[in-house]
């Protein structure tokens, strides 16, 4: 039986990465016409470059930056409306190895309980270092931990899957829904994974399916400024979204451990940034805490 797959790629002022990513996909034999490319309000000439080089891709042009969640949701809804059986979210700062998708699809067909699967993700440089091999969720601390080593030579279960590359069944999305737009970016993949598991589904990592990732391409500056390399907004989103995660999934008696753990950590962040003279990052943490408390959230059943 033939199963259709749409690859959703999000671009935001990252034409060079996007070009390399799509070229690596096409080199594996994947069809350009099954790529849904969502541009998140780029101002670097990306749209013209995409239109000139990849004429068969489905290009969706957002007027503003809708974030990782908003942009990918638009792309996924486009693919769902066209009846694709599977959707692969793929970061634009990745390159894929030959056969990676076929391995993921073969494993997905082994169980109706399997909702989503990710490849083994290595750094772009060095290619021998693992960036993500799945994730562990520590419920008593409300803490999501990345695995940096392979648990098995065969596909294995994981608590959460990285949004860098996640293949999901369209039928699962009808039950679980798309990414939570409140997150914008960061922790949205953990939230999605926990929702899938809450619905009784399983998640896996396929260690034989390989891709490579240029970590932090959209959030790090190449030049160190007074606030360091990382944009202060990254800290705001990380702190805010961590609180979202606690509010949505941390229940009694777990919250007696999880909330103090994270607020102690936030306190150390604030103290560190104060000592370093990084006022913007200090305020980002404080504002992240405020937004994390105040933002209305949707709670899955």
């Amino acid at each position: 039986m033939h199963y259709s797959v749409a690859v959703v790629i999000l671009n935001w002022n990252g034409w060079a990465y996007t070009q390399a990513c799509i070229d690596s996909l096409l080199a594996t034999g994947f069809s350009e016409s099954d790529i849904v490319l969502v541009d998140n309000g780029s101002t670097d000439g990306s749209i013209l470059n995409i239109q000139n080089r990849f004429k068969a891709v489905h290009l969706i042009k957002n007027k503003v930056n809708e974030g990782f969640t908003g942009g990918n949701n638009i792309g996924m809804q486009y693919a769902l409306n066209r009846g694709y059986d599977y959707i692969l979210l793929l970061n634009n700062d990745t390159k894929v190895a030959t056969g990676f998708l076929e391995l993921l699809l073969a494993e997905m067909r082994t169980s109706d309980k399997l909702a989503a699967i990710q490849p083994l993700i290595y750094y772009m440089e060095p290619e021998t270092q693992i960036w993500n091999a799945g994730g562990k969720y520590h419920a008593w601390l409300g803490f999501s931990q990345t695995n940096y080593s392979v648990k098995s030579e065969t596909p294995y279960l994981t608590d959460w899957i990285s949004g860098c590359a996640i293949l999901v069944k369209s039928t699962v999305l009808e039950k679980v829904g798309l990414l939570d737009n409140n997150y914008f970016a960061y922790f949205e993949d953990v939230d999605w994974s926990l929702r899938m598991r809450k619905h009784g589904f399983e998640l896996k990592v396929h260690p034989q399916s390989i891709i490579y990732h240029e970590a932090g391409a959209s959030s790090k500056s190449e030049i160190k400024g007074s606030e360091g390399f990382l944009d202060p907004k990254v800290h705001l989103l990380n702190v805010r979204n961590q609180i979202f995660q606690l509010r949505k999934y941390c229940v009694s008696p777990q919250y007696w451990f999880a909330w103090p753990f994270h607020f102690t950590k936030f306190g150390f962040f604030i103290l560190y940034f104060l000592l370093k003279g990084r006022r913007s990052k200090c305020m980002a943490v404080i504002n992240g805490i405020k937004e994390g408390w105040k933002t209305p959230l949707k709670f899955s059943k």
Side-chain angles (χ1 to χ4, degrees):
M1 183 181 293
H2 174 73
Y3 293 90
S4 56
V5 182
V7 176
V8 176
I9 300 173
L10 189 62
N11 178 77
W12 179 59
N13 294 326
W15 159 243
Y17 287 113
T18 298
Q19 178 184 348
C21 176
I22 295 178
D23 283 342
S24 75
L25 267 175
L26 300 181
T28 69
F30 193 79
S31 173
E32 186 175 318
S33 61
D34 289 321
I35 296 174
V36 180
L37 185 54
V38 182
D39 185 82
N40 245 353
S42 293
T43 56
D44 67 341
S46 285
I47 290 177
L48 184 59
N49 286 326
I50 292 165
Q51 290 173 328
N52 288 336
R53 184 175 178 92
F54 303 114
K55 301 184 185 302
V57 301
H58 300 275
L59 176 61
I60 299 173
K61 296 175 281 187
N62 292 335
K63 293 182 179 179
V64 297
N65 184 359
E66 301 285 352
F68 184 88
T69 55
N72 276 310
N73 282 346
I74 290 169
M76 284 191 285
Q77 191 60 60
Y78 181 93
L80 288 172
N81 291 345
R82 278 148 186 79
Y84 281 95
D85 300 305
Y86 293 90
I87 296 174
L88 173 70
L89 295 191
L90 186 65
N91 272 21
N92 73 321
D93 56 353
T94 61
K95 292 182 181 179
V96 304
T98 301
F100 89 105
L101 184 57
E102 289 76 10
L103 289 168
L104 297 179
L105 284 170
E107 185 63 26
M108 287 286 273
R109 295 167 190 159
T110 63
S111 172
D112 291 335
K113 289 185 66 178
L114 185 56
I117 192 168
Q118 74 163 74
L120 182 60
I121 307 173
Y122 286 89
Y123 281 93
M124 200 81 76
E125 187 66 37
E127 291 187 348
T128 55
Q129 184 178 348
I130 293 175
W131 181 79
N132 185 290
K136 175 70 176 175
Y137 182 69
H138 301 276
W140 283 92
L141 293 177
F143 175 64
S144 49
Q145 178 184 9
T146 300
N147 294 332
Y148 297 106
S149 60
V150 174
K151 289 186 175 182
S152 169
E153 293 183 0
T154 58
Y156 55 86
L157 295 174
T158 186
D159 288 345
W160 61 274
I161 287 180
S162 170
C164 175
I166 176 170
L167 179 69
V168 61
K169 293 174 181 173
S170 295
T171 52
V172 168
L173 299 182
E174 295 169 2
K175 298 177 181 178
V176 175
L178 303 179
L179 296 167
D180 186 338
N181 261 332
N182 278 311
Y183 283 75
F184 191 83
Y186 306 110
F187 287 100
E188 76 294 319
D189 46 8
V190 179
D191 174 80
W192 212 23
S193 297
L194 293 178
R195 269 192 284 145
M196 290 180 193
R197 291 180 57 213
K198 195 172 181 180
H199 279 76
F201 291 112
E202 294 177 340
L203 310 172
K204 282 187 176 181
V205 177
H206 201 312
Q208 306 304 319
S209 173
I210 305 296
I211 73 166
Y212 302 92
H213 178 44
E214 182 70 43
S218 63
S219 58
K220 289 183 180 179
S221 171
E222 293 182 0
I223 302 173
K224 185 176 181 179
S226 60
E227 295 286 338
F229 290 100
L230 206 59
D231 189 326
K233 187 177 180 180
V234 173
H235 293 284
L236 185 151
L237 293 173
N238 270 299
V239 170
R240 183 196 69 178
N241 295 355
Q242 175 66 75
I243 294 176
F244 287 172
Q245 184 174 296
L246 291 173
R247 287 173 59 194
K248 293 180 74 172
Y249 301 103
C250 191
V251 297
S252 178
Q254 296 166 349
Y255 59 62
W256 292 108
F257 297 88
W259 284 100
F261 170 77
H262 285 286
F263 271 84
T264 300
K265 182 176 67 176
F266 298 155
F268 277 117
F269 288 166
I270 292 171
L271 179 60
Y272 174 79
F273 292 140
L274 283 174
L275 292 174
K276 285 285 189 177
R278 296 177 180 176
R279 176 179 168 78
S280 293
K281 287 188 175 180
C282 179
M283 291 306 302
V285 174
I286 293 171
N287 290 331
I289 293 171
K290 292 179 180 177
E291 290 186 20
W293 276 110
K294 292 180 179 179
T295 303
L297 299 178
K298 295 179 182 178
F299 293 85
S300 59
K301 297 179 180 180

